[in-house]
């Protein structure tokens, strides 16, 4: 974020967390038996960490949910239902943050 004082930060978070990767190398994979880049628990932890850094800027934050993608993707495996699941985690975290700020 550098030295710039931002009034507004629009951010998107999650699409790369969904992709499957080779456990030994961390390289992208099309194999369903390989783990995701970040499983839901780690995704939640990552989202919280980056959100805390963004909140510290005192900018107004706008969060864009994880980008949907077509069923047939050319690249690493991402499972269609994961988008909804990861977005639900983000919404839960957002609602909890709002409750803390009231």
């Amino acid at each position: 974020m550098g030295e710039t004082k931002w009034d507004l930060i629009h951010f998107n978070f999650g699409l790369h967390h969904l992709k499957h990767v080779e456990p030994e190398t961390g390289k992208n994979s099309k194999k369903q038996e390989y783990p995701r880049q970040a499983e839901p628990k780690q995704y939640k932890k990552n989202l919280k960490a980056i959100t805390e850094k963004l909140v510290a800027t005192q900018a107004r934050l706008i969060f864009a949910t994880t980008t949907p993608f077509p069923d047939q993707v050319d690249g690493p495996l991402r499972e269609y239902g994961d988008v909804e699941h990861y977005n639900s985690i983000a919404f839960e975290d957002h609602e909890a943050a709002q409750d803390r700020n009231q």
Side-chain angles (χ1 to χ4, degrees):
M1 290 176 279
E3 300 296 319
T4 303
K5 172 81 170 128
W6 299 102
D7 295 323
L8 175 75
I9 299 172
H10 181 270
F11 68 109
N12 175 288
F13 197 75
L15 187 60
H16 291 286
H17 289 80
L18 303 175
K19 68 182 180 181
H20 287 254
V21 295
E22 294 181 26
E24 299 296 321
T25 64
K27 292 185 178 181
N28 295 343
S29 174
K30 293 181 185 250
K31 296 184 178 182
Q32 187 174 23
E33 64 270 17
Y34 285 172
R36 295 176 196 94
Q37 179 79 30
E39 295 298 330
K41 186 176 181 178
Q42 186 64 48
Y43 168 76
K44 184 173 183 166
K45 184 177 177 181
N46 293 349
L47 179 59
K48 182 176 180 177
I50 196 155
T51 302
E52 286 174 354
K53 288 180 182 184
L54 295 174
V55 166
T57 69
Q58 298 182 348
R60 181 173 181 194
L61 303 180
I62 299 175
F63 175 73
T65 57
T66 299
T67 309
F69 52 88
D71 285 337
Q72 300 294 321
V73 295
D74 186 30
L77 174 64
R78 290 180 174 96
E79 297 180 67
Y80 185 75
D82 285 348
V83 170
E84 187 176 323
H85 181 66
Y86 280 57
N87 281 340
S88 71
I89 292 169
F91 287 128
E92 288 171 11
D93 195 54
H94 173 72
E95 289 172 359
Q98 283 187 325
D99 289 343
R100 287 190 301 269
N101 290 332
Q102 290 180 1

